[in-house]
């Protein structure tokens, strides 16, 4: 397929699917077609269509690097609308962004539109940013690959240092190509399989939905059976201190001294862990995708924001589905700076089983119809 055809096909899918899914704020049809005609076909990502998160995403460092590698931006994706700071769905040009597997559920946020655009096959790749799980949660709930890079590895406008650049991709192979082009440097050798790992269902403080925990545990078992990971015996479960208050203190401008104790202790535990074991496995969220009214008192970020505080790179890979057809994500966490190993591990992972019931719509084939207008904002 030619460069122009790849971009034209992406634009056609957006035109067909986005009115129901509401993943995009803007679509740059004419500009994308013009870029596609001018792309140097020798570039590594020549003609790969991609989306950027939010109205300012095209100005991000990652977007600039992707364009330099020949990729073509086709539009900006939905994020929570004005006045909905903790709302975990996006607001696209056609209305509220919906989960491509179940329109009555949120796709997660804040990189909501990016996750939906990738899950529905509108683009193979989209940029995101992650300050508490904003890439990993929508990746998990839309059944795609999502990665939060090591904090500080790429430029970020977030003055607190909690947020880092991230990506959402249709496959781990596309994520690996993204990292090569955006991070630059020499290509890292793949990890030696099986990778020694520890599984923690709750990090010692979260309370996962039993069915979500079971889906994730089954995904871990498949990784072991496929020879991708080797679970390391431990005398006691790996635990962290609950980072909730520390994260909120830093995000709220309370200063690092407020969170110093929890942060320092968790850093000590994580440094000791990664000194002996290269991979930590957890659920991405303790809950399945909730309704558009919000999760109530349950924090979807319970298992993600610890790694925004610590700065470790982390990825979400599809783990499977709950019985009601909701996607679930498995979180992979590695040492700071070991970002490139995450797509390699994900690439070796066996595919999860299809959703149950089997009649659940595939996102790229049968987009759902949006449900009623949004209700109250959700907690983070």
């Amino acid at each position: 397929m030619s460069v122009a055809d790849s971009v034209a096909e992406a634009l056609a899918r957006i035109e067909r699917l986005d009115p129901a899914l509401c993943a995009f704020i803007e679509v740059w049809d004419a500009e994308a077609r013009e870029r596609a005609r001018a792309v140097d076909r020798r570039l590594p990502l020549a003609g790969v269509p991609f989306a950027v998160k939010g109205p300012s995403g095209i100005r991000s460092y990652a977007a600039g690097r992707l364009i330099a590698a020949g990729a073509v931006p086709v539009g900006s994706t939905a994020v929570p609308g004005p006045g909905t700071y903790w709302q975990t769905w996006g607001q696209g040009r056609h209305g509220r962004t919906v989960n491509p597997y179940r329109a009555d559920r949120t796709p997660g946020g804040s990189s909501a539109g990016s996750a939906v655009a990738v899950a529905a096959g509108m683009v193979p790749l989209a940029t995101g940013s992650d300050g508490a799980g904003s890439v990993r949660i929508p990746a998990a709930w839309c059944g795609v690959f999502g990665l939060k890079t090591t904090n500080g590895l790429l430029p970020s406008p977030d003055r607190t240092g909690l947020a880092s650049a991230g990506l959402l991709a249709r496959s781990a192979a596309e994520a690996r190509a993204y990292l090569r082009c955006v991070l630059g440097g020499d290509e890292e050798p793949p990890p030696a399989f099986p990778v020694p790992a520890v599984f923690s269902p709750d990090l010692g403080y979260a309370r996962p939905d039993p069915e979500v925990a079971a889906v994730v545990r089954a995904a871990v078992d498949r990784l072991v059976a496929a020879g991708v990971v080797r679970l390391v015996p431990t005398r006691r479960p790996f635990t962290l201190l609950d980072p909730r208050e520390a994260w909120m203190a830093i995000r709220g401008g309370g200063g690092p001294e407020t969170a110093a104790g929890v942060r320092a202790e968790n850093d000590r535990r994580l440094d000791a862990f990664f000194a002996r074991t290269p991979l930590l496995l957890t659920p991405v969220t303790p809950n399945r995708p909730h309704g558009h009214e919000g999760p109530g008192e349950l924090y979807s970020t319970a298992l993600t924001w610890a790694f925004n505080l610590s700065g470790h790179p982390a990825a979400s890979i599809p783990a499977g589905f709950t019985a009601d057809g909701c996607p679930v994500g498995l979180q992979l966490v590695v040492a700071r700076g070991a970002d490139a190993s995450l797509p390699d591990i994900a690439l070796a992972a066996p595919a999860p089983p299809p959703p149950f019931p089997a009649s659940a719509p595939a996102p790229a084939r049968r987009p759902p119809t949006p449900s009623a207008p949004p209700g109250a904002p959700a907690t983070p």
Side-chain angles (χ1 to χ4, degrees), residues 137-163:
I137 293 170
W141 287 356
C142 293
V144 299
F145 178 90
L147 186 149
K148 172 196 105 58
T149 55
T150 299
N151 290 39
L153 186 64
L154 295 172
S156 169
D158 180 27
R159 295 181 180 179
T160 68
L162 293 171

Side-chain angles (χ1 to χ4, degrees), residues 275-305:
R276 62 181 185 271
T277 311
L279 180 63
L280 175 62
L281 304 170
T282 79
V284 174
T285 64
N287 54 332
R288 68 193 73 199
H290 53 75
H292 291 278
E293 73 284 355
E297 297 300 314
L298 184 64
Y299 278 69
S300 305
T301 54
L303 293 162
T304 52
W305 52 8

Side-chain angles (χ1 to χ4, degrees), residues 147-363:
L147 186 149
K148 172 196 105 58
T149 55
T150 299
N151 290 39
L153 186 64
L154 295 172
S156 169
D158 180 27
R159 295 181 180 179
T160 68
L162 293 171
S164 59
L167 68 112
L168 297 109
R170 181 175 53 190
S171 72
E174 282 149 336
R176 188 165 58 178
Y178 167 103
L179 286 180
R180 281 200 300 265
C181 293
V182 173
L183 297 183
D186 297 330
E187 188 171 345
E188 297 288 332
F193 295 109
V195 179
V198 166
F199 172 58
S200 175
D202 56 12
L203 291 176
Y205 58 82
R207 296 180 180 178
D209 175 324
E211 190 178 358
V212 169
V215 170
V216 173
R217 179 69 219 204
V220 172
D221 291 343
R222 288 194 299 274
L223 289 175
V224 172
V228 178
V229 304
R230 174 178 60 83
L231 293 181
V232 177
T234 57
R235 292 183 179 179
R236 58 177 65 91
F238 178 74
T239 64
L240 294 174
L241 300 180
D242 189 341
R244 172 180 165 174
E245 297 303 325
W247 188 95
M248 288 187 166
I250 294 171
R251 176 59 77 191
E257 67 283 350
T258 311
V262 169
R263 199 173 199 176
E265 176 58 21
N266 280 354
D267 280 352
R268 185 191 68 77
R269 295 184 190 187
L270 286 164
D271 288 346
F273 176 89
F274 286 115
R276 62 181 185 271
T277 311
L279 180 63
L280 175 62
L281 304 170
T282 79
V284 174
T285 64
N287 54 332
R288 68 193 73 199
H290 53 75
H292 291 278
E293 73 284 355
E297 297 300 314
L298 184 64
Y299 278 69
S300 305
T301 54
L303 293 162
T304 52
W305 52 8
F307 307 110
N308 295 91
L309 276 172
S310 69
H312 289 82
S316 172
I317 67 171
F321 297 83
T322 55
D324 57 354
C326 291
V328 174
L330 168 63
Q331 182 169 223
L332 317 178
V333 188
V334 294
R336 298 180 191 93
D339 305 55
S341 67
L342 289 167
D344 286 324
I345 296 168
L347 194 59
F356 179 83
S359 59

Side-chain angles (χ1 to χ4, degrees), residues 10-198:
L11 292 168
R13 290 186 69 81
I14 293 168
E15 183 178 3
R16 186 168 73 254
L17 300 177
D18 196 48
L21 295 171
C22 306
F24 282 86
I25 298 171
E26 294 181 336
V27 178
W28 307 317
D29 190 292
E31 298 93 326
R33 293 178 192 273
E34 184 177 349
R35 280 185 188 272
R37 288 191 292 268
V39 164
D40 183 343
R41 297 190 181 197
R42 295 169 296 180
L43 293 171
L45 296 181
V48 174
F50 75 99
V52 297
K53 177 184 176 178
S56 62
I58 194 63
R59 299 194 295 273
S60 68
Y61 175 83
R65 294 286 291 177
L66 290 171
I67 292 169
V72 176
V74 296
S76 59
T77 58
V79 291
T84 57
Y85 183 65
W86 284 123
Q87 201 165 315
T88 57
W89 51 83
Q91 190 71 22
R93 58 183 180 154
H94 296 294
R96 183 185 63 200
T97 311
V98 301
N99 191 296
Y101 283 91
R102 288 195 49 167
D104 63 331
R105 305 294 175 93
T106 173
S110 60
S111 303
S114 286
V116 173
V118 170
M122 290 186 264
V123 289
L125 195 66
T127 66
S129 58
D130 190 314
S134 294
V135 163
R136 289 162 287 163
I137 293 170
W141 287 356
C142 293
V144 299
F145 178 90
L147 186 149
K148 172 196 105 58
T149 55
T150 299
N151 290 39
L153 186 64
L154 295 172
S156 169
D158 180 27
R159 295 181 180 179
T160 68
L162 293 171
S164 59
L167 68 112
L168 297 109
R170 181 175 53 190
S171 72
E174 282 149 336
R176 188 165 58 178
Y178 167 103
L179 286 180
R180 281 200 300 265
C181 293
V182 173
L183 297 183
D186 297 330
E187 188 171 345
E188 297 288 332
F193 295 109
V195 179
V198 166

